[in-house]
Amino acid sequence: MLKILKNKLEQGNKTSKYPKEPIALYHRYRGMPVINTDCSADVIAECVCICPQEAIDATEKTIDLGRCTFCGQCESVEGEGGAFVSFSENFELGAANREDLVTGGALPALADHSKQHFKKLFGRSLQLRQVSAAGCNSCEADTNVLNTPFFDLSRFGIDIVASPRHADGIHVTGPISRNMRQALIDTYEAVPSPKVVIASGCCSISGGPFRGSEEIIGDLSSLVPVDLYIPGCPPHPLTTLHALLNYFK
């Protein structure tokens, strides 16, 4: 016991002070895209051609964060007027509406779209059942990180629970394979009403890299109503934390 106390005193408090204090991510992190509308049409056209997710619209000069895997290929294309897309270190990517993810470089503040009755119903406590619907484990791993001492998700009254019957909603990752379709629906129905649904990662939002495959559903909103979208491949833990705190708390 004395060794444990000594070790604790030596290590100190390792928990991040976010959101009370801002936190900076590594400079190679790709977050909110910055769109350069003044670049040449040829640069935009090349970005459209090389985007593996068909996430870029040359006419509207937008990028669909629900499809984007943040691979960075578009960022490497430069020409007259500079590059069309550059990625900032802004990790605040959550959205309440699917159409908001089709962006020219900005998203509406989550607090402006938050359904206030959620706050009244759940107060300072939110229990979520995480459902991996054929995910590759990247989104799942970065969600699990939120339970480490650095993030300490439970200090905000948010917990991942084992049973949907003990949950206020579901947090879904993965492209939703056909084999997982019924299990996902059963989990959703097992959650007592009122309940919330979170689509996390581009796979659950649009199918991600598996979009178009006959073996996946690829769009969670086609099965159950979605309240919160968290884009990314995978979403950074801070992206998820920011979305949860600003939408539900």
Side-chain angles (χ1 to χ4, degrees):
M1 179 60 73
L2 291 176
K3 289 183 178 179
I4 294 175
L5 292 174
K6 180 177 180 291
N7 188 39
K8 176 62 178 175
L9 289 172
E10 290 174 347
Q11 290 187 359
N13 186 0
K14 299 297 183 180
T15 303
S16 166
K17 295 182 179 179
Y18 179 84
K20 290 184 178 181
E21 294 183 9
I23 186 169
L25 297 181
Y26 186 57
H27 67 89
R28 292 181 63 183
Y29 167 74
R30 298 190 186 109
M32 179 71 72
V34 178
I35 307 297
N36 176 18
T37 57
D38 296 326
C39 72
S40 70
D42 291 339
V43 170
I44 301 176
E46 187 173 350
C47 288
V48 171
C49 289
I50 67 172
C51 179
Q53 297 301 110
E54 299 180 347
I56 297 174
D57 187 318
T59 304
E60 298 296 329
K61 296 183 178 180
T62 58
I63 183 167
D64 185 351
L65 298 184
R67 290 187 180 182
C68 182
T69 58
F70 297 81
C71 68
Q73 291 194 58
C74 55
E75 191 176 27
S76 66
V77 181
E78 293 189 31
E80 184 179 349
F84 174 57
V85 180
S86 60
F87 290 94
S88 71
E89 295 170 26
N90 180 4
F91 54 79
E92 299 175 355
L93 304 175
N97 302 303
R98 175 64 178 92
E99 55 270 22
D100 290 338
L101 294 178
V102 181
T103 176
L107 292 174
L110 269 177
D112 295 340
H113 290 273
S114 177
K115 298 181 180 180
Q116 296 300 321
H117 67 277
F118 284 158
K119 296 178 181 179
K120 293 179 181 179
L121 286 170
F122 304 133
R124 299 178 63 184
S125 174
L126 182 67
Q127 314 298 310
L128 297 172
R129 175 66 168 95
Q130 206 283 316
V131 181
S132 177
C136 70
N137 205 40
S138 291
C139 291
E140 295 81 358
D142 274 12
T143 300
N144 289 339
V145 166
L146 290 172
N147 290 313
T148 61
F150 181 79
F151 294 103
D152 193 12
L153 184 64
S154 60
R155 65 187 160 124
F156 301 107
I158 305 173
D159 290 292
I160 305 298
V161 296
S163 171
R165 299 189 186 280
H166 300 158
D168 301 312
I170 56 174
H171 176 274
V172 183
T173 55
I176 315 166
S177 66
R178 294 194 177 277
N179 288 340
M180 276 297 297
R181 180 183 182 278
Q182 191 58 50
L184 174 60
I185 292 175
D186 290 345
T187 302
Y188 171 78
E189 292 177 346
V191 177
S193 295
K195 50 193 166 188
V196 297
V197 177
I198 302 168
S200 183
C202 63
C203 283
S204 65
I205 298 174
S206 66
F210 308 99
R211 187 173 60 89
S213 170
E214 295 180 355
E215 299 305 316
I216 67 163
I217 305 300
D219 179 2
L220 179 60
S221 64
S222 67
L223 295 179
V224 295
V226 176
D227 299 292
L228 177 62
Y229 296 89
I230 307 177
C233 187
H236 192 280
L238 282 172
T239 301
T240 301
L241 181 58
H242 171 268
L244 294 176
L245 292 180
N246 284 269
Y247 192 75
F248 296 111
K249 304 304 285 181

